[in-house]
Structure formats: structure tokens, C-alpha cells
């Protein structure tokens, strides 16, 4: 019975993020492309929007811990996490629909309306994201069980992500031809993604059975205590810094993808084929992760993954712009990235028990609010780099790829590969020097928490 319970939770939890990541990817990776290449805003509007875009993401990132407090303080008959998942999904869906609607505005008027819609989307997705991922450590405190849940969830997330990456250009073009307007094509594609997101979220909301009575009941967290939970958990802070640097690098690279194929490679249609290769590579890496985790420590896995990613960046930057070299480099980057993202998810989960041991408060959601905070900071920095690069390289003003100079292409490659390479390396160095919760230390933390009565026979713990 217990195994069936764990299996049901693992699958229903993981499947929920297929649609979530399709939904998130369309905005985080392609909203800027929609603005520059579908709405075709002017250079002056692009500069203004780049500033607003970056500022809004940083502002909302700071707001994420408050969302974490709201989730941690939730007491309902539906559980602690599901209300936030549902409310965030519904509000985010409405805001995204407006973001991909041509309202017939331009200049400052468009920027104001865009800023309002984007802020609502960002806050709503943050609430949904925090509630969703902070449910994971509540399902099990066992590291290996968490890895199984996390690996399946990341597989589903990447299916969602790469579905968008592979399909967005051909499907929006096809819908554009069918409706007679590329803007309408993007609008109808957004409706499809919203419907898929809500459907997969329903699987999690209905299918996951949230464990009850496994952790000691705690008092509600105040905003003042929120800062204590985050800033007194030194291991959480070091993970946050390391993951932020990695995500800045990774998201900068992925945000340039369609521009690279359109302006450097010269054929944007090859972007979908390339994305399919990367998707298969990343999914394969996540599938075999548990095999490697049984044979190597997390520190060795992170080291190997970082070396793999760095090798991919070096090949991508120096090799000729040909599909063979591009594919080899892309596979190396995305295989390593899959391992690193899953490992970082596990590191964050383990800092919950560390914080509970050190501060006598569990606070899954406040702790996991660091993840969307990191993603938004990474996305904000990535969009800033992309926007400025497009402006100064002359790409945004170019009528076609033929009008982009070699200097412009070199600027694109430098921003896409060299800046991310140094950010990812810096994150790895910080992890190696500062993170201390290995497998043995986590077991010690669990034993001490059980003795104190803070954990009462949690699921998946073997207790």
C-alpha cells in the first residue's frame, strides 16, 4: 500500500509540470522574440522594454519569499500546497493570454500595459511554482526517494520545455498562415498552451495525496521570521548563490537560441531540429541520473556535469557554425545541465532539514521560494544581456540575417557562450567551497530531528 501511495504521488506530481513548463517556457524564452520579431517594436521601445522587463523580474523575485510565507501559512482541507498551485495557474493563464494578444498599442502605451500584464503573470507563476516545488520535500525526506520524484518531475518538465522549443516556430508559422496573421498565430498557440497547462495541473491537484501528520505542527511564519528563515540558513544561501550563477549562464544561452539560428546559422527552421536533439539528450540524462547517483557522490556528479557543460561551451564558441559541431556542443551542454539542475533541486530540498535542525522551523515553501527567485534573477539578467546585445550588435535593426555584420555575430556569440561559461564556473567554485550537506550529514540531520520529535515517521524515510 505504501509503495502504491509513493508511486501515485511520484507520477501525479511529476506529470503536473509538463504543462507548467510549456507555459513558463513560452513566456521566459519567447516573449522577447514575439515582441521583437512578431510585433516588431522600434529600437527605442525595445530599450525601454528591456529596462522594464529586467526591473520587473528583479522586483517580483524579491516578492517570491512573501509568496513562500503565504504557502507555508496555508491551512486548508485541500492541504498546504494545492490552493497556491490552483490560484497561481488560473491568474497566470489570464495574464499570459493578454501578453500574447495584439492590443493595437505602441510606444509607451504598449510598455505600460505590457508591464502590468507581465507583473501579474510573474507573481502568479511564482505562487504556483513555489507551492508546486515545495510539495516535493513534503512527500519524502529520504534522499533517494526524493531523487526518484525529482528525476521524474524534471523529465516531465523537460518534455514540456522542449515541446515548446521544437514546436513553437513551425506551429506559430502554420497557425499564422491559416489565420492570415502571424500575430494571430501566436495568440492561438498561447491559448493551446494555456489549456494544456491547466489540464496537467489538474492531474497534480487531483492525484497527489499530501501526507499529513508526519511533521510537527508549527506556528505560522511572520514576515519578520521569513528573513530569519532565509538569511540564517547559511547552506541555503550558498546554494542560492551557486544556482543563481548557473541559471544566469544557462538562461542567457537558451534565450539566444532562436536568434543564433536565425542570424548566425542563417536558418531559423533548423532551430526546431536542433532543439529536438537537445531534448532527447537532456531527457536521456535525467533517465540515467538515478543509475549514476547510486554509484557516485553528488559532489562527483556535479564536478563531472560542470566539466561536460564547459566543454560544450568551448566547442560552441570556437568551432565552425556547422550542424555537426553545433549538435555535439549542444548535447554536452544540455546533458550536463540536466544533471546540475536536478542536483540543485536536491540541494535545496536538503537545506530544509538543515534549516529545521538549526532554526527549529521547517518552512518548505519559504525555502523553495529561493528557486523561482533564482530563476527570475537569471531570467532578468539573461533578458538584459539579450536585449542589449540585440541593440548594440545591430541585430534588432537588421532587415534580415544578411544585414548583420561579422562584428554583430561575434557579439552575439560572446554574449551567448563566454559570459555564461564564466558564470557557471563561478557557481561551481562556490558550491565546492561552501556547501556542506553531503549524504552522511543529511542522515545525521534526520536522526537528530527524529530524536527531537520534529519528524514523526515521515514517508519514504524508512522509519
Amino acid at each position: 500500500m505504501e509503495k502504491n501511495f509513493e508511486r501515485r504521488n511520484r507520477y501525479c506530481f511529476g506529470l503536473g509540470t509538463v504543462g507548467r513548463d510549456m507555459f513558463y517556457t513560452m513566456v521566459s524564452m519567447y516573449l522577447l522574440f514575439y515582441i521583437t520579431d512578431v510585433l516588431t517594436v522600434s529600437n527605442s521601445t525595445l530599450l525601454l522594454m528591456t529596462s522594464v522587463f529586467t526591473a520587473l523580474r528583479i522586483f517580483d523575485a524579491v516578492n517570491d519569499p512573501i509568496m513562500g510565507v503565504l504557502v507555508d501559512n496555508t491551512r486548508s482541507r485541500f492541504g498546504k500546497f494545492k490552493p497556491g498551485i490552483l490560484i497561481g495557474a488560473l491568474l497566470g493563464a489570464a495574464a499570459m493570454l493578454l501578453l500574447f494578444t495584439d492590443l493595437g498599442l505602441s510606444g509607451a502605451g504598449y510598455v505600460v500595459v505590457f508591464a502590468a500584464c507581465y507583473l501579474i503573470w510573474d507573481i502568479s507563476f511564482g505562487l504556483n511554482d513555489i507551492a508546486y516545488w515545495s510539495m516535493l520535500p513534503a512527500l519524502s525526506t529520504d534522499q533517494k526517494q526524493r531523487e526518484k520524484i525529482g528525476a521524474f518531475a524534471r523529465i516531465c518538465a523537460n518534455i514540456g520545455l522542449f515541446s515548446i522549443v521544437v514546436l513553437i516556430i513551425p506551429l506559430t508559422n502554420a497557425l499564422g498562415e491559416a489565420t492570415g496573421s502571424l500575430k494571430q498565430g501566436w495568440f492561438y498557440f498561447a491559448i493551446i498552451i494555456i489549456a494544456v497547462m491547466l489540464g496537467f495541473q489538474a492531474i497534480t491537484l487531483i492525484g497527489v495525496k499530501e501526507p499529513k501528520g508526519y511533521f510537527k505542527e508549527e506556528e505560522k511564519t511572520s514576515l519578520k521570521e521569513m528573513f530569519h528563515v532565509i538569511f540564517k540558513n547559511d547552506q541555503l544561501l550558498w546554494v542560492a548563490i551557486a544556482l543563481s550563477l548557473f541559471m544566469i549562464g544557462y538562461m542567457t544561452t537558451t534565450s539566444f537560441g532562436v536568434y543564433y539560428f536565425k542570424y548566425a546559422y542563417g536558418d531559423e527552421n533548423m532551430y526546431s531540429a536542433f532543439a529536438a536533439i537537445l531534448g532527447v539528450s537532456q531527457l536521456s540524462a535525467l533517465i540515467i541520473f538515478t543509475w549514476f547517483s547510486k554509484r557516485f557522490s553528488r559532489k562527483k556528479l556535479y564536478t563531472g556535469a560542470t566539466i561536460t557543460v564547459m566543454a560544450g561551451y568551448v566547442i560552441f564558441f570556437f568551432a565552425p557554425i556547422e550542424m555537426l559541431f553545433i549538435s555535439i556542443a549542444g548535447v554536452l551542454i544540455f546533458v550536463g545541465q540536466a544533471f546540475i539542475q536536478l542536483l540543485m533541486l536536491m540541494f535545496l530540498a536538503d537545506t530544509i532539514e538543515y534549516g529545521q535542525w538549526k532554526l527549529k522551523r521547517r518552512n518548505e515553501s519559504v525555502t523553495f521560494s529561493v528557486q523561482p527567485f533564482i530563476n527570475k534573477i537569471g531570467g532578468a539578467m539573461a533578458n538584459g544581456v539579450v536585449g542589449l546585445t540585440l541593440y548594440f550588435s545591430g541585430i534588432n535593426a537588421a532587415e534580415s540575417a544578411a544585414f548583420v555584420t561579422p562584428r554583430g555575430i561575434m557579439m552575439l556569440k560572446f554574449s551567448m557562450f563566454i559570459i555564461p561559461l564564466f558564470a557557471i564556473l563561478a557557481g561551481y567554485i562556490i558550491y565546492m567551497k561552501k556547501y556542506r550537506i553531503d549524504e552522511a550529514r543529511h542522515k545525521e540531520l534526520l536522526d537528530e530531528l527524529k530524536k527531537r520529535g520534529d519528524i514523526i515517521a515521515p514517508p519514504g524515510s524508512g522509519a
Side-chain angles (χ1 to χ4, degrees), residues 381-422:
M381 296 297 102
N383 279 306
V385 172
V386 172
L388 291 174
T389 301
L390 295 178
Y391 178 81
F392 287 107
S393 66
I395 289 175
N396 187 61
E399 295 180 17
S400 67
F403 290 89
V404 180
T405 65
R407 175 180 172 275
I409 297 299
M410 181 54 66
M411 285 185 65
L412 184 152
K413 289 180 65 178
F414 184 87
S415 296
M416 185 176 180
F417 303 123
I418 302 303
I419 292 175
L421 177 63
F422 281 103

Side-chain angles (χ1 to χ4, degrees), residues 141-172:
T141 57
D142 180 78
Q143 283 191 326
K144 296 304 178 186
Q145 185 65 21
R146 279 181 177 174
E147 287 174 2
K148 289 180 181 179
I149 298 171
F152 183 69
R154 291 308 313 171
I155 288 170
C156 291
N158 280 277
I159 289 173
L161 186 158
F162 282 101
S163 295
I164 293 295
V165 173
V166 171
L167 296 175
I168 192 164
I169 298 300
L171 282 188
T172 52

Side-chain angles (χ1 to χ4, degrees), residues 322-335:
E322 299 173 6
M323 274 306 295
L324 175 62
F325 297 107
I326 291 173
S327 298
I328 292 172
V331 168
L332 289 173
I333 291 172
F334 278 78
V335 166

Side-chain angles (χ1 to χ4, degrees), residues 94-274:
M96 177 174 157
L97 191 61
L98 289 174
L99 286 173
F100 288 96
T101 299
D102 180 15
L103 300 172
L105 300 172
S106 62
Y110 173 72
V111 174
V112 170
V113 174
F114 164 83
C117 294
Y118 184 81
L119 186 60
I120 294 171
W121 178 86
D122 222 11
I123 292 174
S124 301
F125 185 81
L127 174 62
N128 175 278
D129 198 50
I130 291 164
Y132 178 84
W133 285 112
S134 60
M135 184 188 284
L136 189 156
L139 299 180
S140 178
T141 57
D142 180 78
Q143 283 191 326
K144 296 304 178 186
Q145 185 65 21
R146 279 181 177 174
E147 287 174 2
K148 289 180 181 179
I149 298 171
F152 183 69
R154 291 308 313 171
I155 288 170
C156 291
N158 280 277
I159 289 173
L161 186 158
F162 282 101
S163 295
I164 293 295
V165 173
V166 171
L167 296 175
I168 192 164
I169 298 300
L171 282 188
T172 52
N173 286 341
L175 289 169
E177 289 181 9
T179 60
S181 167
L182 188 57
K183 295 175 184 178
Q184 283 293 98
W186 279 74
F187 173 74
Y188 286 118
F189 189 73
I191 292 177
I192 294 170
I193 298 309
I194 289 169
V196 172
M197 181 273 289
L198 293 175
F200 276 101
Q201 286 285 271
I203 294 175
T204 296
L205 291 169
I206 297 170
V208 172
K209 299 300 180 184
E210 185 180 325
K212 297 180 181 179
Y214 293 114
F215 305 103
K216 185 180 72 174
E217 189 73 21
E218 295 176 347
E219 295 181 1
K220 291 189 176 182
T221 303
S222 67
L223 290 178
K224 180 180 179 181
E225 290 167 331
M226 172 192 77
F227 293 102
H228 183 73
V229 169
I230 294 174
F231 291 104
K232 293 295 182 180
N233 188 331
D234 55 292
Q235 293 299 285
L236 172 62
L237 289 178
W238 289 123
V239 169
I241 294 170
L243 183 52
S244 293
L245 289 164
F246 175 79
M247 290 306 295
I248 288 170
Y250 170 69
M251 295 184 76
T252 297
T253 299
T254 55
S255 296
F256 271 114
V258 68
Y259 294 105
Y260 179 86
F261 276 88
K262 184 173 183 177
Y263 295 102
Y265 184 77
D267 183 1
E268 66 179 294
N269 292 319
M270 284 302 295
Y271 176 65
S272 294
F274 176 67

Side-chain angles (χ1 to χ4, degrees), residues 298-306 340 343-344 347 427-428 431:
R298 289 179 173 180
K299 183 169 289 189
K300 289 181 179 178
L301 290 176
Y302 192 11
T303 299
T306 302
I340 292 173
L343 286 167
M344 285 291 190
F347 297 155
Y428 170 75
Y431 162 80

